[in-house]
Amino acid sequence: MTAFIALLCWMFALLCHGLLQPKIQRLLGVGCKHKALLQGLRLVLPLAALAVCMRQPMPLALLLWLGMFSLGGLMAGGMLSVASVRARKPRVEV
């Protein structure tokens, strides 16, 4: 359960980081209305993941925290990629 919670925290933190990028906003066709909230979550969620992982013995806690970072990054990147492909408008051929 610890790994799952850490994975969710990292995934949402990296998703917030991605949504703050101007290129992603342009690809998705959205503005950044909740910039302060996204920045706050980007800061708090990795610390929450670290707090959850610290319930494990020390070497395992650090490896779990860093491992979930990489998996969360892959999941967040995949979600943003799928969202940008779906948001792309079909081209009109003449």
Side-chain angles (χ1 to χ4, degrees):
M1 193 65 176
T2 301
F4 181 69
I5 294 171
L7 177 65
L8 287 179
C9 287
W10 272 116
M11 183 183 66
F12 286 122
L14 294 168
L15 192 61
C16 290
H17 177 72
L19 289 173
L20 286 169
Q21 304 305 312
K23 184 174 183 177
I24 296 294
Q25 291 174 5
R26 200 170 42 248
L27 285 173
L28 294 177
V30 296
C32 191
K33 298 175 186 171
H34 306 288
K35 186 175 182 178
L37 176 66
L38 291 175
Q39 287 175 337
L41 286 174
R42 184 176 63 176
L43 175 69
V44 170
L45 287 174
L47 297 175
L50 180 61
V52 168
C53 289
M54 290 306 288
R55 296 180 6 195
Q56 303 296 322
M58 188 52 200
L60 179 62
L62 187 59
L63 290 173
L64 187 63
W65 188 64
L66 293 172
M68 292 303 110
F69 165 71
S70 62
L71 289 176
L74 289 172
M75 291 177 70
M79 289 173 60
L80 288 172
S81 296
V82 168
S84 67
V85 167
R86 287 188 178 185
R88 193 174 11 168
K89 297 180 177 119
R91 297 181 183 180
V92 178
E93 294 184 23
V94 180

